[in-house]
Amino acid sequence: MAAMGTVVCLLGLLMLMQEVKGGQGLGNDGGDLWQEFLRLPTENGGTKWALLIAGSSGYDNYRHQADVCHAYQIMKKGGLKDQNIVVMMYDDIAYNPKNPRKGVIINKPNGGNVYAGVPKDYKGKDVNKNNFLAVLLGKKSALTGAGSGKVISSGPNDHVFVYYSDHGGPGVLSMPSGEGLYANELVQALKKKRAGGAFLNLVVYLEACESGSIFEGLLPSNIGVYAMTASNKTESSWATYCNTPGYTTCLGDLFSVAWMEDADPRRPGDRQTLAQLYTIVKKRTTSSQVKLYGDLRLASQPVSLYYLPPGPGITSTASGAILTDDEEGRRGGGVDQRDAGLVYLWREYYEEKSVEAWERILREMERRSRLDTSVDLIVGDLLSSKAQLLQVRAGQPLVDDWDCLKSMVRTFEAHCGPLGQYGMKHTRAFANMCNAALDHHHMAKAASKACTMHPPLITY
């Protein structure tokens, strides 16, 4: 009789699950209950969650979406269910006319198709700052657009992994649509999620130029958040695999492929710690300084709490994937993220040998020159010295007044055109203007004069 009762209960549960999945019988919260039931337990009884975002668009930025697709495959290998993974990517690469393998995205030369099976929860213009923060905070009501509606509905015993790959600048991360994500906005969201008891521990990997500036002086050391960045607060991160036959674009990013190609061969139960991974990634990321921020006590935790496959504990191998000589040669020292666009234009010209392709290179170089000149003129007008422009504050946030910085950027762009992926490097100059007690009124006057003399060009 007990066995019969168990069967009846299981059948009833399955019927209830089917109703929830179909959105019947349990009102508007049905989807949340279904997601709750499917949570994947971690080694301490909590659940693994992952938020993966590529913050760019365009075939020239192929590598960022390739990174995120590769990360998704690692999450799946690690046992995470799709219900616990949120992927945000523009999704204009796999079937791009310039992609030599339609429907296929690779993250290294001769690599497998990392695009296969990837759920595009938010794509196109739905990949923006508002939706990223809504997903991170688990706030479905704040979502806009036509995405899947999935959010990180994590609880107090859960482990959350966040991975971002794209362009950045001092204190800001790019988004393919709308305004960039500023450092204080990300850190405030992490604090808010912690205060709401929405995770036990959270790990962030950040691939972007000046990515250390997102956390330095801002991320507390006592809220269970551990961050690893591709670069420090003053240097670029680097693209890699930029010389692959048939491709005019870079396939990956140096920091990103370092951690992912280490994860690829690892077996279930590998007890590699976050500290061991940091040592490996730091050694392999040869063109920038990989940095750690936040709660460094988490460094002793196994990576399997977040995304490596669980299983019986085994001794961690010293390193992950070993590159072949051919792969190592194609990876090379990498290309500065901000120059990767020029490399792409040059490769396009080399393939086409057309006047139009050459003119695209010249236009982009002239646009960069005008942008740099405009900022120099504004700085000369507003700051007493170039040293003040380049001032780097040790151990402190980039700027005291983040609203001032945002206003400075908006005012500059209103007069001089968008900063774009290259021009984001100038946000430090704008931050130092704010730190010198200047405001957007000063910027408006100086920018109006500078950009009348040097009007902006539209990029390729």
Side-chain angles (χ1 to χ4, degrees):
M1 291 294 292
M4 178 63 73
T6 300
V7 170
V8 170
C9 287
L10 285 172
L11 286 173
L13 177 59
L14 287 171
M15 291 173 66
L16 176 62
M17 287 167 58
Q18 187 62 38
E19 287 184 354
V20 171
K21 189 175 181 181
Q24 303 170 8
L26 292 176
N28 294 331
D29 295 327
D32 292 335
L33 292 174
W34 170 254
Q35 191 173 44
E36 185 74 16
F37 180 83
L38 289 172
R39 292 168 120 201
L40 175 71
T42 59
E43 297 167 35
N44 71 335
T47 301
K48 294 180 183 179
W49 296 83
L51 171 52
L52 315 173
I53 176 169
S56 67
S57 61
Y59 189 71
D60 57 313
N61 288 314
Y62 180 109
R63 61 196 181 278
H64 301 133
Q65 294 184 53
D67 292 340
V68 162
C69 289
H70 189 175
Y72 168 80
Q73 304 301 338
I74 291 170
M75 301 302 114
K76 291 295 289 183
K77 179 185 173 185
L80 278 76
K81 299 180 185 294
D82 279 340
Q83 290 82 359
N84 301 123
I85 306 171
V86 180
V87 177
M88 305 181 75
M89 56 183 283
Y90 207 84
D91 197 27
D92 60 346
I93 300 302
Y95 293 96
N96 192 290
K98 295 182 179 180
N99 186 7
R101 300 174 62 188
K102 296 297 182 289
V104 173
I105 294 177
I106 59 175
N107 200 209
K108 69 176 182 178
N110 303 313
N113 181 16
V114 295
Y115 187 69
V118 176
K120 279 70 71 177
D121 293 299
Y122 302 89
K123 61 183 183 178
K125 293 184 177 180
D126 291 334
V127 184
N128 55 55
K129 174 170 68 175
N130 175 79
N131 282 345
F132 171 78
L133 292 174
V135 170
L136 176 61
L137 290 170
K139 295 178 62 176
K140 286 190 174 185
S141 61
L143 292 169
T144 60
S148 69
K150 281 197 296 183
V151 295
I152 304 299
S153 301
S154 49
N157 295 317
D158 296 348
H159 289 82
V160 179
F161 175 67
V162 178
Y163 170 56
Y164 172 98
S165 179
D166 188 30
H167 295 277
V172 64
L173 299 173
S174 182
M175 287 284 167
S177 301
E179 190 176 62
L181 174 69
Y182 285 87
N184 69 315
E185 295 169 331
L186 176 57
V187 173
Q188 284 172 3
L190 294 172
K191 290 179 179 179
K192 185 174 182 179
K193 194 169 182 70
R194 178 64 174 187
F199 61 83
L200 181 61
N201 295 126
L202 186 149
V203 166
V204 183
Y205 294 172
L206 199 54
E207 174 79 66
C209 293
E210 290 95 9
S211 45
S213 68
I214 301 299
F215 298 116
E216 183 157 332
L218 288 173
L219 183 62
S221 61
N222 61 352
I223 63 169
V225 176
Y226 172 100
M228 181 167 66
T229 65
S231 62
N232 64 22
K233 61 189 175 185
T234 62
E235 62 188 357
S236 296
S237 67
W238 291 68
T240 190
Y241 297 136
C242 299
N243 299 303
T244 305
Y247 289 83
T248 57
T249 188
C250 301
L251 303 182
D253 290 294
L254 203 55
F255 164 80
S256 293
V257 300
W259 76 261
M260 287 189 282
E261 290 180 6
D262 177 79
D264 283 334
R266 292 194 180 273
R267 296 173 291 165
D270 191 308
R271 303 301 293 178
Q272 181 192 47
T273 65
L274 290 168
Q276 289 171 327
L277 174 64
Y278 167 68
T279 300
I280 292 167
V281 173
K282 185 175 183 179
K283 182 177 180 180
R284 188 174 170 188
T285 307
T286 54
S287 299
S288 63
Q289 298 181 60
V290 177
K291 304 293 287 185
L292 297 178
Y293 299 93
D295 195 339
L296 302 188
R297 295 172 300 178
L298 274 61
S300 61
Q301 290 187 342
V303 182
S304 58
L305 283 174
Y306 300 93
Y307 59 80
L308 284 183
I314 61 174
T315 302
S316 177
T317 53
S319 62
I322 303 298
L323 295 181
T324 65
D325 290 341
D326 184 52
E327 288 174 334
E328 186 69 48
R330 289 178 183 171
R331 184 170 69 90
V335 174
D336 186 313
Q337 286 269 20
R338 294 196 177 100
D339 292 335
L342 286 176
V343 171
Y344 163 75
L345 290 175
W346 176 255
R347 295 288 302 273
E348 287 281 295
Y349 169 70
Y350 185 81
E351 294 288 329
E352 296 178 19
K353 297 290 195 301
S354 68
V355 173
E356 291 79 7
W358 180 247
E359 288 178 344
R360 286 196 293 270
I361 295 175
L362 295 179
R363 282 199 303 271
E364 174 60 10
M365 293 177 69
E366 185 176 358
R367 186 191 72 86
R368 293 180 178 211
S369 176
R370 290 193 180 198
L371 195 154
D372 292 342
T373 299
S374 296
V375 173
D376 285 344
L377 288 170
I378 291 168
V379 168
D381 219 7
L382 298 180
L383 295 178
S384 58
S385 69
K386 193 155 188 174
Q388 195 175 7
L389 157 72
L390 300 174
Q391 183 180 358
V392 177
R393 310 198 310 177
Q396 299 180 62
L398 173 73
V399 67
D400 296 320
D401 186 344
W402 288 92
D403 288 334
C404 173
L405 175 58
K406 295 171 197 175
S407 181
M408 285 288 197
V409 171
R410 291 174 190 143
T411 303
F412 175 87
E413 292 186 329
H415 290 277
C416 304
L419 286 171
Q421 297 162 354
Y422 169 78
M424 293 175 77
K425 69 178 186 176
H426 291 300
T427 53
R428 184 177 303 282
F430 301 157
N432 284 333
M433 292 176 193
C434 291
N435 294 335
L438 299 171
D439 62 24
H440 67 280
H441 297 295
H442 297 94
M443 169 64 81
K445 184 176 179 180
S448 177
K449 182 167 65 174
C451 295
T452 299
M453 296 167 58
H454 297 275
L457 289 177
I458 297 174
T459 187
Y460 60 90

